[in-house]
Amino acid sequence: MDKKIVTRFAPSPTGHFHLGGVRSALYNYLFAKQNKGVYILRSEDTDKERSKKEYEDGFLELFNWLGLKPDQFFRQSERTEIYKKYLEKMIEDGFAYVSKEEIKEEGQRSEVIRFKNPNKKITFRDIVLGDITFDTTDLKDFIIARSLTEPLYHLTVVVDDFEMAVTHIIRGQEHIANTPRQILIQEAIGAQRPFYAHIPLILGKDRAKLSKRDPEVIPALEYKNLGYLPEAIINFMALIGWNPGGEQEVFTLDELVEKFDMQKIQKSGGIFNSEKLDWLNKEHMKKLSNDEVKNKILSSLSEEFQNEKIVPIIFERISKWNDIKNMERAGELDFFSKIKKPQYDKEKLVYKSSSTKETENNLKLAIKTLSDLNEENFTSDNIKISLMKIANDLKNRGELLHPVRYALSGKDKSPDPFIIAEILGKNETLSRLQKAV
Ligand code: GLU
């Protein structure tokens, strides 16, 4: 085909936008870009009651954040005149007619515009699913507009795809049942049939269809607030229902443009696995510069934790930016606080195979050897060498390492004592050990 490839993503701004829509938008974007084509974003806001500006603003902000920039943007509410022309022509040509509707309660009549169904079999080829055949007889003479200036979805979508020269329609499988109606309208207005690719549903981990009640189903913009990277969301959504084969799982948007293959979209549902999302997010975080990571981490922490040395410790433990605040809130960083001293149960200082007396001696030995290190040499490596020298002479290294770690952190679980000591610095380390003695 030598025609310019044109794709479109056509959300209706009638509710919060979910990640499922991101995948449809993404596939349209990828396919257009890899073919040097055009990607259109179209806000389908003809339903005046249900369409809200805030929902449209929401997906515009989302796509901006994700970097899925459309080449063209349209809003259906601004195109009423265009639809009207088509409706008039269809009526004139006998493809549509005004029908009087009985409104039962008041016995009044209102008018709608119906499509004159030719009642025939329609077969269309779907790139994902193969040939699909429908008998349109069951669809009767369906309504395409409430009036000349109030067109409905099936009409506007077909007129727009034609006017915008859309060549490929990539959308969710929930739209399969709409396709025969849309093909009938295409034939009536003399539009060429576009290629269709209906992409699989997104399923929960139990392989059941994700419902609105699932915890995974949150507005897509929430992922921004939770501190996910746009690159990770894109990577994750791309791989639900499609994969390029091979080992690679981490892809940038540019790599996806290159690798995406519409022929390899799966027929059956794709699984939404949030652990995989977290893993991918971490992989993309690792690609950021050290400075970026440092700034992001420090700016997420309160004053009492402002210490560059804790950056690598935090980075190791998070998979998204919001985890930092949560760690702080949960008290997991308290042992690094400049103001909070660890509070603990003193019995817990004693290692299981050890006694109070031995613990006291070991802590004193630790104090002595660490006092010999000067401030500049007070690094986790040197601290480790010094402490290990003593610990290795004991029956069990835990007899020294446990009380030191516990005295410094006051927590059952914490990073190793060498790192904590370096971060606390010499004075604070010795003071905590002294207190433990
Ligand atoms: N506006 C429709 C929707 O939000 C999508 C139309 C289409 O992709 O054909 O479901």
Side-chain angles (χ1 to χ4, degrees), residues 276-288:
K276 174 143 185 205
L277 171 59
D278 283 9
W279 177 79
L280 277 172
N281 200 60
K282 188 61 183 278
E283 292 303 305
H284 283 278
M285 281 171 132
K286 289 179 191 163
K287 296 184 176 195
L288 301 174

Side-chain angles (χ1 to χ4, degrees), residues 7-8 43-44 86 92 136 139 154 221 229 333 350 362 366:
T7 66
R8 70 357 176 232
S43 181
E44 303 210 317
Y86 279 89
E92 197 182 302
T136 69
L139 304 173
H154 291 299
L221 262 179
L229 296 176
L333 303 175
V350 180
N362 290 338

Side-chain angles (χ1 to χ4, degrees), residues 344-412:
Y344 52 82
D345 197 352
K346 63 187 178 201
E347 269 91 69
K348 284 189 164 180
L349 282 165
V350 180
Y351 189 65
K352 48 188 186 238
S353 63
S354 189
S355 66
T356 312
K357 193 74 212 141
E358 282 167 347
T359 302
E360 185 188 331
N361 283 339
N362 290 338
L363 282 166
K364 284 180 175 162
L365 282 172
I367 292 172
K368 187 167 175 311
T369 179
L370 293 181
S371 305
D372 292 343
L373 283 176
N374 57 26
E375 205 83 59
E376 301 91 82
N377 291 335
F378 209 75
T379 63
S380 63
D381 286 345
N382 290 333
I383 295 165
K384 185 171 183 178
I385 294 168
S386 307
L387 291 179
M388 281 307 203
K389 239 183 259 160
I390 327 171
N392 285 334
D393 287 342
L394 301 172
K395 271 195 310 291
N396 194 318
R397 289 188 285 191
E399 292 166 14
L400 177 108
L401 298 180
H402 171 77
V404 170
R405 191 191 63 73
Y406 198 72
L408 298 182
S409 71
K411 300 265 183 207
D412 295 329

Side-chain angles (χ1 to χ4, degrees), residues 323-337:
D323 293 345
I324 305 168
K325 283 212 164 63
N326 291 336
M327 279 170 84
E328 184 182 324
R329 230 175 267 141
E332 287 171 38
L333 303 175
D334 281 356
F335 38 87
F336 297 127
S337 169

Side-chain angles (χ1 to χ4, degrees), residues 57 62 179 183 293 336 425:
D57 290 345
L62 177 77
T179 308
I183 289 176
V293 169
F336 297 127

Side-chain angles (χ1 to χ4, degrees), residues 8-14 42 44 76 153 157 161 169-172 174-175 182:
R8 70 357 176 232
F9 176 60
S12 300
T14 51
R42 188 167 76 215
E44 303 210 317
Q76 287 191 326
Y153 163 63
V157 99
D161 289 340
I169 294 182
I170 306 168
R171 60 185 180 185
E174 69 274 16
H175 287 294
Q182 295 173 5

